[in-house]
Amino acid sequence: MSRNSRKKAKKGLSGVFCALVYIFLFLPISVIVVNSTNATTSKPYLSWKGFTLDWYVKLFDNTSLLQAFGNTMVIAVVSTLLATIIGTIGAVGIYRYHFRGKGIINGLLYIPVVIPEIVLGISLLTIFSKVNIPRGMLTLILAHVTFSVPFVIFNVRARLSGYDKSIEEASMDLGANRLTTFLRITLPVLAPGIAGGALLAFTLSIDDVIISYFVNGQTKTYPLKVMESIKSGVAPDVNALSTLILIATILLVVLTQSGIFSKNKEHS
């Protein structure tokens, strides 16, 4: 076999491998989209009875599902905001100041990331019970902040790794105080890391099941609601809401990428 033939064979195998990977990744998502248009009304909603969009209309009659989704969004937004503020301040403080036990603190930050979620969920449940905090929206927000903060710190600290402190010194030499320097110099430089950490925290909050299960009380989130419906079969209206979330996510990614590309074109 010639060299060109071997290259073509490797290229073909690479293409097949990539296609199989993408099929493995996106086939479950396509099943959700297809089932959201299934006309079946009998549990467990697995048999195909024809195409319909009625479930997208009936979705808005499922008040418990919409309430669970609303709870999820409120928890995600509030916990992301708190985790981003705490994580950014923590990352800047750890980077800028040298103090005894700094290495230990850096090591402890990895514990919420690598610890099994069920262990963290039980631990948080025990703490909330000891201090008599009723389980509900507050405990869910506190729990989500707890496991989100390290991810924000890691993203901001990665941005700080190539940060030039001399620009802050130059700003203060020109008369700016520390607050003005932080808001106009440091914060814009850290903005990509902060945004990345915030998006990661938001995604983790929306997606969380195990920790939320231990601390939710009577407050249902969207993932917990979906988990409950698995016992009797996931209804097509749940798939419809999941499809709408997927479409919104795709649109957000497309808008973000198009904005980046347009900026690149302007610079070029």
Side-chain angles (χ1 to χ4, degrees), residues 31 53 71 76 87-88 95 130 194 219-220 248 259:
V31 170
L53 294 176
N71 291 336
T88 301
Y95 173 79
K130 291 291 185 181
I194 295 172
T219 304
K220 295 297 180 183

Side-chain angles (χ1 to χ4, degrees), residues 5 17 34 37 41 48 63 76 113 121 127 136-137 145 147 162 167 200 208 214 218 221:
S5 299
F17 178 76
V34 171
T37 60
T41 56
W48 179 260
T63 55
V113 177
I127 293 173
M137 186 73 75
V145 170
F147 65 72
I167 58 176
L200 188 56
D208 183 72
F214 285 97
Q218 299 299 319
T221 62

Side-chain angles (χ1 to χ4, degrees), residues 87 91-92 95 110 150-163 189-190 192-194 197:
V92 172
Y95 173 79
Y110 290 95
F151 292 96
V152 178
I153 292 178
F154 295 152
N155 275 272
V156 177
R157 196 165 61 182
R159 182 69 179 174
L160 282 166
S161 61
Y163 182 65
V189 173
L190 300 182
I194 295 172

Side-chain angles (χ1 to χ4, degrees), residues 176-211:
N177 56 32
R178 289 188 177 275
L179 180 60
T180 302
T181 300
F182 178 78
L183 293 177
R184 295 191 177 183
I185 305 297
T186 309
L187 198 59
V189 173
L190 300 182
I194 295 172
L199 288 174
L200 188 56
F202 185 78
T203 303
L204 290 170
S205 178
I206 290 178
D207 190 52
D208 183 72
V209 176
I210 298 176
I211 297 175

Side-chain angles (χ1 to χ4, degrees), residues 26-44:
F26 292 103
L27 184 59
I29 298 176
S30 63
V31 170
I32 291 175
V33 176
V34 171
N35 280 339
S36 69
T37 60
N38 190 0
T40 184
T41 56
S42 58
K43 297 179 180 180

Side-chain angles (χ1 to χ4, degrees), residues 59-60 62-77 137 140 144 202 205-207 219-226 237-238 240-249:
L59 164 66
F60 295 96
N62 193 339
T63 55
S64 61
L65 181 64
L66 293 177
Q67 184 179 7
F69 178 71
N71 291 336
T72 298
M73 295 305 297
V74 171
I75 294 166
V77 170
M137 186 73 75
L140 280 166
H144 287 210
F202 185 78
S205 178
I206 290 178
D207 190 52
T219 304
K220 295 297 180 183
T221 62
Y222 179 64
L224 293 176
K225 189 69 178 177
V226 173
D237 56 351
V238 176
L241 181 54
S242 300
T243 302
L244 293 177
I245 296 172
L246 175 65
I247 293 172
T249 303

Side-chain angles (χ1 to χ4, degrees), residues 89-154:
I89 295 174
V92 172
I94 292 173
Y95 173 79
R96 180 171 293 175
Y97 301 106
H98 298 280
F99 50 88
R100 184 176 298 177
K102 181 177 179 179
I104 296 175
I105 292 177
N106 283 328
L108 291 175
L109 287 173
Y110 290 95
I111 292 180
V113 177
V114 300
I115 193 174
E117 288 189 340
I118 190 169
V119 176
L120 183 57
I122 295 173
S123 302
L124 290 170
L125 174 60
T126 304
I127 293 173
F128 295 147
S129 299
K130 291 291 185 181
V131 297
N132 295 321
I133 299 179
R135 286 185 294 163
M137 186 73 75
L138 177 60
T139 55
L140 280 166
I141 292 173
L142 292 175
H144 287 210
V145 170
T146 300
F147 65 72
S148 297
V149 165
F151 292 96
V152 178
I153 292 178
F154 295 152

